Amino acid sequence: MLLIPCPWCGARDEAEFRCGGESHIARPDPDTADDATWAAYLFDRDNVKGVGFERWLHRHGCGRWFNVARDTVTHEIRAVYAMTDPRPEIAP
Amino acid sequence: MPRSTYSALSLLRRGLGRHRGWTPAWRHPDPKPRYAAIVVGGGGHGLATAYYLAKTHGLTDVAVLEKGWLGGGNTGRNTTVVRSNYYFPESGRLYDLALRLYEGLPRELDFNIMLSQRGMLMLAHSHHDMEFARRTANAIRRNGIDCDLLDRDDIARRLPLLDMSETARFPVLGGYRQARGGIARHDAVAWAYARGADRLGVDILQNCEVQGFLIEAGHIAGVETSRGRIRADRVGLAAAGHSGVLAAKAGFRLPITSYALQAFVSEPVKPTLDEVVLSPATGVYVSQSDKGELVVGGGLDLHPSYSQRGNLPTAENVLSGLVGMFPAFANLRLMRSWGGIVDVVADSSPIIGPAPVDGLYLNCAWGTGGFKAIPAGGTLLAHLMATGEQHPVAQPFGLERFRRGALIDEAAASGIPH
């Protein structure tokens, strides 16, 4: 069971949250992007083994989104930061 | 090395000889500096690929590279279910190819994979489920695959321990069943293909982790491994949940996210369940092994993971669903639980086809349903590696479907984890 530190509610059980997948994916301009660019935006993922950057929603709590840097092997949460913050520097 | 065949007579003879003189089922060679083709991943799909490269295409100068031990990934971690009850015709052709090959495998490979076609039953818990079941069953039959719609009484007769009472937590209205579905011994499938490939001259290299790719002028030229550099101008990847890690080393990305999928085994009991049962409402699937253990699976863990163990919320969810369906199973103790890393894509259909690097080929994205597809995955990747052309069955499953928007959305069509 992960204990996830929601920035607004504090540490809560994993079951209260929903993982929204990889963060920091920039949407290309739909008017100019070709099919390959658009498909890469929709589907391709870094799917990192190690520290990855994810969006999480406190679904059964405050209902707010935030970013989490989490190790996908140990599940250790390395950082929690706002949706609009840039990707933090984290040693592997 | 002497090559024995397996039979009741050979077992009896060895038994009378106090089981001395069994020989290894495959060799442990050192890597050669070059092969005609390399398959990365010594699970079912990789070993089957090597076997069919040698058997069907006469390409025997082949190495299978496995970073750990043979069949130690998802091939040894699944719930052993085989079936081909898929909604879309493309999927039906693919998974039924696998099931038909499974049916002939024991004879072809001289290995008892303990294939037991006891039937695969999908439950319907509401009128909506029942409509969905009728639609799916008709689609499966139109794919040319056996499937029967069952009513409530049929289910009650087949599953005496299922809670069908008025107060049942998950009321059951009916379901559909593929009689040819069932289970097979997962380890035996890996071992059978390994032995078959080895006999045809394939080198199986264990403890040989791929750490990088040699790419010369845009074409694959070999791999860097923990046992040195091995050259080949054709490389197939069959690495399931770790496909994305390998893709990153080769310089491209895949539309895959890796999750842990858990499975559970109970203590062995006398025969109580002679079907594979799946409930779309609980996401739980359960069967009883020949040893008497209940083998239980459910949905994915709640977040991406490369840790081959499960998280508690999903375990609780799966087991409470199981007990809700079969209250008697609450008396059982679990012997083991574990996780495998599965490669999930948006449409829950596999990727079989060329990678963005020339000479590199993909067999991945089977997600939670790779075991049942092993013979087909091997056949299709071998065809691609040997001929450079997609097999007609694999045609719809190339990586380009994501760019074209031609998804084969079994995730939505089946409404179940697979």
Side-chain angles (χ1 to χ4, degrees):
Chain A
M1 175 79 79
L2 297 183
L3 203 55
I4 299 175
C6 170
W8 293 278
C9 309
R12 298 288 186 91
D13 285 353
E14 156 185 3
E16 294 185 15
F17 297 83
R18 188 173 84 79
C19 181
E22 270 176 40
S23 203
H24 307 293
I25 296 173
R27 183 172 183 259
D29 182 349
D31 293 329
T32 57
D34 60 14
D35 287 353
T37 308
W38 194 252
Y41 156 66
L42 284 181
F43 299 115
D44 286 357
R45 297 292 177 260
D46 290 339
N47 195 24
V48 176
K49 183 176 186 176
V51 178
F53 302 90
E54 299 164 336
R55 299 171 301 178
W56 283 77
L57 169 67
H58 195 184
R59 183 168 52 170
H60 303 298
C62 60
R64 297 173 80 170
W65 286 90
F66 54 96
N67 278 321
V68 171
R70 189 177 63 90
D71 191 309
T72 58
V73 180
T74 64
H75 297 170
E76 184 191 356
I77 291 172
R78 301 291 298 276
V80 173
Y81 55 103
M83 285 302 276
T84 49
D85 284 353
R87 195 187 300 233
E89 289 293 328
I90 292 182
Chain B
M1 179 167 36
R3 302 278 163 85
S4 56
T5 53
Y6 294 158
S7 67
L9 186 65
S10 76
L11 186 62
L12 181 68
R13 193 180 293 144
R14 299 283 189 195
L16 291 173
R18 294 168 182 266
H19 287 294
R20 278 192 286 263
W22 286 107
T23 52
W26 50 84
R27 298 163 297 129
H28 295 281
D30 287 324
K32 293 194 286 186
R34 172 184 283 280
Y35 290 90
I38 286 174
V39 181
V40 182
H45 282 272
L47 294 163
T49 302
Y51 171 75
Y52 291 115
L53 276 172
K55 165 84 184 337
T56 312
H57 304 282
L59 198 65
T60 57
D61 185 24
V62 175
V64 177
L65 312 187
E66 166 54 47
K67 73 173 174 182
W69 67 96
L70 197 149
N74 294 352
T75 301
R77 292 167 187 269
N78 57 75
T79 47
T80 80
V81 175
V82 296
R83 60 186 175 88
S84 60
N85 53 352
Y86 279 77
Y87 181 78
F88 289 110
E90 296 90 338
S91 310
R93 277 194 291 277
L94 177 68
Y95 290 100
D96 208 53
L97 169 66
L99 189 53
R100 279 183 277 116
L101 287 167
Y102 262 134
E103 287 165 347
L105 216 54
R107 189 167 293 274
E108 176 170 357
L109 294 174
D110 177 37
F111 208 107
N112 184 3
I113 61 163
M114 298 167 76
L115 177 66
S116 166
Q117 292 176 292
R118 58 186 61 182
M120 162 86 199
L121 213 163
M122 302 276 291
L123 298 175
H125 297 285
S126 64
H127 289 289
H128 302 292
D129 275 7
M130 210 51 215
E131 286 174 10
F132 202 77
R134 196 170 290 119
R135 164 181 174 270
T136 310
N138 283 335
I140 293 166
R141 291 170 76 116
R142 278 177 52 86
N143 292 343
I145 293 163
D146 65 299
C147 188
D148 296 303
L149 199 67
L150 304 183
D151 64 18
R152 198 183 138 80
D153 292 341
D154 293 329
I155 303 279
R157 205 163 35 247
R158 289 183 181 279
L159 302 174
L161 288 181
L162 184 67
D163 186 358
M164 306 274 289
S165 65
E166 288 299 313
T167 56
R169 172 68 183 81
F170 301 102
V172 174
L173 275 66
Y176 63 92
R177 177 175 187 268
Q178 184 187 18
R180 287 164 63 235
I183 58 173
R185 174 87 200 278
H186 50 0
D187 296 324
V189 172
W191 297 336
Y193 275 118
R195 179 164 165 269
D198 177 87
R199 287 182 164 205
L200 295 170
V202 170
D203 282 359
I204 297 165
L205 308 173
Q206 300 180 71
N207 300 311
C208 186
E209 182 178 9
V210 170
Q211 295 165 336
F213 293 87
L214 290 174
I215 298 169
E216 293 169 0
H219 196 286
I220 197 87
V223 292
E224 301 284 1
T225 79
S226 53
R227 297 176 70 178
R229 173 178 291 186
I230 308 175
R231 298 189 77 90
D233 54 15
R234 270 176 282 188
V235 177
L237 302 184
H242 281 71
S243 297
V245 175
L246 288 172
K249 291 184 199 300
F252 60 95
R253 302 203 305 166
L254 289 170
I256 289 176
T257 303
S258 296
Y259 289 87
L261 177 67
Q262 300 190 57
F264 311 85
V265 163
S266 77
E267 59 188 324
V269 288
K270 288 185 177 176
T272 56
L273 181 67
D274 61 357
E275 299 267 345
V276 182
V277 183
L278 195 158
S279 158
T282 60
V284 170
Y285 37 99
V286 56
S287 64
Q288 189 173 21
S289 75
D290 291 342
K291 221 159 47 173
E293 305 151 327
L294 292 178
V295 182
V296 185
L300 295 169
D301 274 16
L302 302 174
H303 50 76
S305 174
Y306 282 91
S307 155
Q308 285 177 317
R309 57 188 157 76
N311 252 5
L312 198 57
T314 301
E316 268 187 314
N317 196 30
V318 171
L319 296 171
S320 59
L322 176 74
V323 171
M325 291 157 61
F326 296 96
F329 292 168
N331 294 324
L332 293 175
R333 273 168 295 204
L334 286 181
M335 303 266 284
R336 297 184 298 281
S337 75
W338 62 89
I341 304 307
V342 297
D343 38 350
V344 175
V345 286
D347 60 355
S348 286
S349 285
I351 297 169
I352 307 163
V357 176
D358 268 357
L360 190 62
Y361 303 99
L362 301 169
N363 170 8
C364 57
W366 294 96
T368 61
F371 174 72
K372 72 172 85 71
I374 282 172
T379 299
L380 302 176
L381 180 59
H383 184 94
L384 181 62
M385 289 177 70
T387 64
E389 304 282 329
Q390 279 278 55
H391 189 289
V393 172
Q395 206 74 51
F397 294 98
L399 195 54
E400 72 283 355
R401 77 171 184 269
F402 293 94
R403 180 173 46 76
R404 292 175 47 232
L407 301 189
I408 302 158
D409 198 353
E410 285 293 344
S414 304
I416 54 156
H418 60 72

